Amino acid sequence: MRGRDGDKDGQKLRLRLTEDSLRESEQRSRLATEATGVGIWEWNVKTNVIRWDRQMFALYGIPTTSDGFVNYDIWAASVFPDDLAEQAELLQRHAREGGINRREFRIRRRDNHEIRIIQAVETVRADSTGEVEWVVGTNLDVTDRKRAEEALLESDKRLRLALSGAKATAWQWNIPTNEIVWTPERSQIYGRDPQRELARYENWRDCLHPDDLERTERLIRDLIRQGAPDYRAEYRVVLPSGEIRWLASMAKFDYAADGAPLQMYGIDLDVTGQKQAEQKLTESETRFRAAQEASLDGFLIFDPVRDDEGRIADLMVVYVNPVAAQYCLSTPEQMEGRLLSETLPGAKLPGGLIEKHGRIIESGRTQEYDLEYDADGVNGHFRNLVVPFERYAAATFRDITALVEGNRALATAKAEAERANMSKSKFLAAASHDLRQPVQSLLLLLAVIERQVADQPKIIEVARMMRMAVDGLHGLLNSVLDISRLDAGVVAPLAECVDLGEMVSKLTAEYAPKAVSMALELRCVPRNLQARTDPALLGRALRNLIENALRYTLMGGVLLTVRRRGAFARIDVIDSGIGIPEDKLSEIFEEFHQLHNPGRNLEQGLGLGLAIVRRLADLLGAEVEVASRVGRGSRFSLTLPLYQQAAPVAASKTGVDDPGGRVLVIEDNAIVRHGLEILLNQFGYETFLANSSEQALELAAKEKSCFDAIVTDQRLGEGLTGIETAKEIHVRAARAIPTMVLTGDTDGARIAEIESSGFPVLHKPVDAEDLRSHLARLIER
């Protein structure tokens, strides 16, 4: 009995010891899992019941249940939505297939909603029939490890990018084994596979340029022998393609306790571009110095020196070329590094070189100025160009003394020429005025004679020859007058819309009889183009060109055309005449210049027609051109801007109806005065004659100014001029009397004065019919 009781007690004791051992094992397991952060779980696939240990509840941020059981839905609700479907499918598959499975997924903790990354390891346990009943596994929070791995990957990625962007590679050399480890960028720089072709020191050594090999290795040996911590070097490597690259290498050494070298690690930078730039800069500086030393201009670089108030007080010479030093009576070696005022004390004078340079440097803008320098043994005119840059300023100067003196001489010569030209103009004006009076008398008297001897053929022929002679002289005087009026600037164009085709057609009809008499063909090709210009002035210019063309064409003819040239119209006068040598084309527009009239035959013109054309073209804003071939003919062209809107051109009135009336004639030349009297009487006018301003005023007072018109000369000797006399008569009469001025003046100032009066002006000698028509219009107005 006692034996059986003893066995039972022994069994109880063993059972209690086993239970105690199991509890201790579970306690140690729980402590281990809690210490490592590993949670243990079991899932009964048949009942869908899950049992968690306390660490699982802590991982998921869920309050611990009393028995440790949780529902499947509680776990599923904690899994991140994007991961749930995949994780549920993996879990079900593992329950079917068995084995050991590893997976990672995200959860959202219930207590603080933080997203964490869980690593799960699981296996299956079967029941007595061999069917899977439990899935048992662990969960471990690997969030911090994952983030550290991602940070490390990102850091490595940035390092790769930095090395690649900087054209650099990192390396580590195990000195005892001679093995070298490289980053992948090494192949970009060395053009070789770092794992196969650069794995050892000898491989790297073979890449070095022969001229740099011994120097680079000696440096490494010397640094190691000295126990130096740092290494810096620049050397060239030769790529398999033959390309040469410059590398800048920076590294550190690690040493053992006994001083033996263990490793060397660092980076290599590709500085080929920088080295090439430095080489180009060196070559550029060499070329620059060579150019400046060969230059004929002085060149300096200054570093401004400022006083206590910050103003530029002097200029430190940084560089000076030999030319500049020579002008300063010095050498580059003596000037560089010294103040400019030490070489040229006069440069500090008020308004001098330092002050002017300083003002430009302060402005920060490139400027040029001329300076006359007369100090320190230097005398001359210099053109200076100052270019501020950064803290410095570059300055060049050129000796323009000869240019200044030449300009002065040129200005003096020009003034002398202008004085001579003025004297010539005054002489021509005076001569023209004095000649016009007798010519005017001849014209008036000749007109009277022609009327009185109309039935006597022989006398008529003599009168005709006399008129030809007088007309030649008349033409000369009118041409001189035209030149004077154009030069005086008193001719103002009156612009209107002109039909150029119609004008050319009329001119062709006007000169057709003359062309026929010369056995020449004159035709035109008009075109309906309009220009806004002065028709009278343009007509005068074209008449001169037509007359010139007819005069120098012996056979063939003259063609007038109007052509469109873009926004311009070009009028051409083309002849088949004798032509003009190319070297004479510019001379033909000079006054009194004729190529084929050495005897000055008046029938061949006066040499003023083309000079007048040039002046008229300038006045109208037209361009005059000439093209010619000797023996083939010439083309003279006037080019004008087109006027887009056509306007009708009024037809001129023809014929003269003499209105008659009382005319006061004021003329100091007796012959002209009486010629006017006879001619005006024949036109049906009653004339009253005065030879001076005083006599005219007395006559006006006597006749109570009952005149229908006044015809007066401008220069009446002493006393009032013709204009002043006429105006005084107007004042005394208390009314405006139609007044016309006849003058022989060609002086520019006097012409301007007459034109400004507002009275119509006729220039002596005036044709009888012109005088008749102008006087009729004056009275009828």
Side-chain angles (χ1 to χ4, degrees), residues 474-661:
H474 187 190
L476 172 62
L477 294 175
N478 281 338
S479 295
V480 172
L481 173 64
D482 285 339
I483 293 289
S484 299
R485 295 179 72 236
L486 290 170
D487 287 344
V490 299
V491 179
L494 300 175
E496 60 183 78
C497 183
V498 178
D499 188 324
L500 301 179
E502 182 180 349
M503 173 175 280
V504 166
S505 297
K506 288 183 177 180
L507 289 172
T508 303
E510 177 183 334
Y511 280 93
K514 184 174 183 178
V516 171
S517 68
M518 300 174 68
L520 298 175
E521 180 183 7
L522 175 62
R523 60 190 181 90
C524 69
V525 181
R527 187 174 180 182
N528 186 26
L529 296 176
Q530 288 81 35
R532 187 166 180 80
T533 186
D534 187 314
L537 298 180
L538 178 60
R540 177 65 191 277
L542 290 175
R543 284 184 175 88
N544 282 8
L545 292 178
I546 295 170
E547 290 174 359
N548 196 67
L550 292 172
R551 183 177 300 121
Y552 292 104
T553 300
L554 304 179
M555 62 177 58
V558 177
L559 173 65
L560 277 64
T561 66
V562 179
R563 292 184 172 91
R564 187 188 187 110
R565 289 293 181 266
F568 297 86
R570 195 180 81 185
I571 305 173
D572 293 334
V573 179
I574 307 170
D575 64 59
S576 58
I578 59 178
I580 307 165
E582 185 175 355
D583 60 343
K584 302 294 183 181
L585 290 177
S586 61
E587 300 178 7
I588 61 176
F589 292 99
E590 298 175 3
E591 296 93 334
F592 302 105
H593 189 89
Q594 290 179 301
L595 297 180
H596 305 288
N597 190 14
R600 306 303 297 175
N601 184 350
L602 288 179
E603 292 184 359
Q604 296 187 30
L606 308 168
L608 292 173
L610 293 180
I612 293 173
V613 169
R614 171 74 77 184
R615 286 167 167 81
L616 288 172
D618 292 341
L619 188 63
L620 295 173
E623 182 179 355
V624 59
E625 299 177 84
V626 59
S628 183
R629 293 180 62 183
V630 175
R632 299 291 297 275
S634 304
R635 173 181 60 82
F636 286 84
S637 303
L638 283 175
T639 303
L640 297 158
L642 282 172
Y643 184 62
Q644 301 301 328
Q645 300 180 359
V649 180
S652 59
K653 182 180 178 181
T654 59
V656 178
D657 294 328
D658 297 313

Side-chain angles (χ1 to χ4, degrees), residues 112-246:
N112 57 14
H113 304 288
E114 182 181 358
I115 296 175
R116 308 292 292 179
I117 301 173
I118 299 297
Q119 184 184 75
V121 180
E122 55 215 18
T123 187
V124 297
R125 191 170 65 222
D127 58 11
S128 58
T129 64
E131 185 178 355
V132 174
E133 181 180 11
W134 292 89
V135 178
V136 182
T138 61
N139 277 185
L140 176 64
D141 187 339
V142 294
T143 305
D144 294 338
R145 189 187 74 194
K146 282 288 183 180
R147 290 175 178 171
E149 289 175 354
E150 290 174 358
L152 182 60
L153 288 173
E154 183 64 26
S155 176
D156 185 67
K157 181 180 178 181
R158 288 195 296 269
L159 177 61
R160 298 279 83 76
L161 288 173
L163 290 173
S164 177
K167 294 185 178 180
T169 183
W171 51 269
Q172 182 179 10
W173 172 31
N174 186 319
I175 297 176
T177 65
N178 260 355
E179 295 176 343
I180 303 179
V181 178
W182 306 90
T183 57
E185 293 77 19
R186 187 72 172 191
S187 60
Q188 300 176 12
I189 296 177
Y190 281 79
R192 295 173 172 84
D193 184 350
Q195 304 303 325
R196 294 185 298 105
E197 300 177 90
L198 292 171
R200 297 186 60 78
Y201 174 85
E202 293 82 4
N203 304 138
W204 168 80
R205 181 182 183 278
D206 293 340
C207 296
L208 266 62
H209 192 283
D211 294 343
D212 298 341
L213 174 60
E214 195 277 331
R215 170 179 58 83
T216 304
E217 284 200 308
R218 183 173 65 250
L219 175 61
I220 294 174
R221 290 194 302 268
D222 291 346
L223 292 174
I224 291 175
R225 186 175 64 255
Q226 298 167 10
D230 300 318
Y231 160 83
R232 285 179 179 272
E234 287 186 355
Y235 50 84
R236 289 166 291 178
V237 295
V238 182
L239 276 61
S241 64
E243 179 186 353
I244 296 175
R245 290 182 180 170
W246 273 95

Side-chain angles (χ1 to χ4, degrees), residues 689-753:
L689 306 181
N691 62 9
S692 66
S693 59
E694 292 82 358
Q695 189 177 13
L697 293 174
E698 291 174 0
L699 187 57
K702 178 182 177 182
E703 298 295 328
K704 298 182 180 179
S705 299
C706 292
F707 305 122
D708 295 295
I710 299 174
V711 177
T712 179
D713 186 17
Q714 171 64 357
R715 294 167 65 178
L716 300 175
E718 296 182 358
L720 301 178
T721 64
I723 292 175
E724 292 169 342
T725 303
K727 288 182 176 180
E728 181 63 25
I729 294 174
H730 292 183
V731 172
R732 296 183 183 184
R735 69 183 180 92
I737 302 173
T739 300
M740 176 188 299
V741 179
L742 298 182
T743 181
D745 274 316
T746 57
D747 179 74
R750 290 198 176 98
I751 291 175
E753 178 187 353

Side-chain angles (χ1 to χ4, degrees), residues 30-138:
R30 184 171 63 252
L31 290 173
T33 57
E34 291 176 354
T36 58
V38 177
I40 301 175
W41 55 274
E42 294 177 307
W43 172 40
N44 190 311
V45 298
K46 295 181 177 180
T47 64
N48 210 28
V49 173
I50 299 176
R51 185 169 60 192
W52 284 0
D53 69 355
R54 287 190 300 177
Q55 187 61 31
M56 285 291 292
F57 287 101
L59 287 176
Y60 282 76
I62 297 174
T64 306
T65 60
S66 59
D67 54 5
F69 286 101
V70 296
N71 189 280
Y72 176 87
D73 294 336
I74 293 177
W75 171 80
S78 298
V79 178
F80 201 73
D82 293 347
D83 299 347
L84 178 59
E86 179 186 12
Q87 295 303 313
E89 197 277 329
L90 289 173
L91 188 60
Q92 293 291 344
R93 186 195 306 168
H94 183 241
R96 293 192 303 270
E97 297 176 356
I100 298 176
N101 185 40
R102 294 176 181 273
R103 55 195 173 89
E104 289 184 358
F105 56 91
R106 292 168 294 174
I107 66 169
R108 188 186 299 276
R109 289 172 57 91
R110 183 180 296 180
D111 54 356
N112 57 14
H113 304 288
E114 182 181 358
I115 296 175
R116 308 292 292 179
I117 301 173
I118 299 297
Q119 184 184 75
V121 180
E122 55 215 18
T123 187
V124 297
R125 191 170 65 222
D127 58 11
S128 58
T129 64
E131 185 178 355
V132 174
E133 181 180 11
W134 292 89
V135 178
V136 182
T138 61

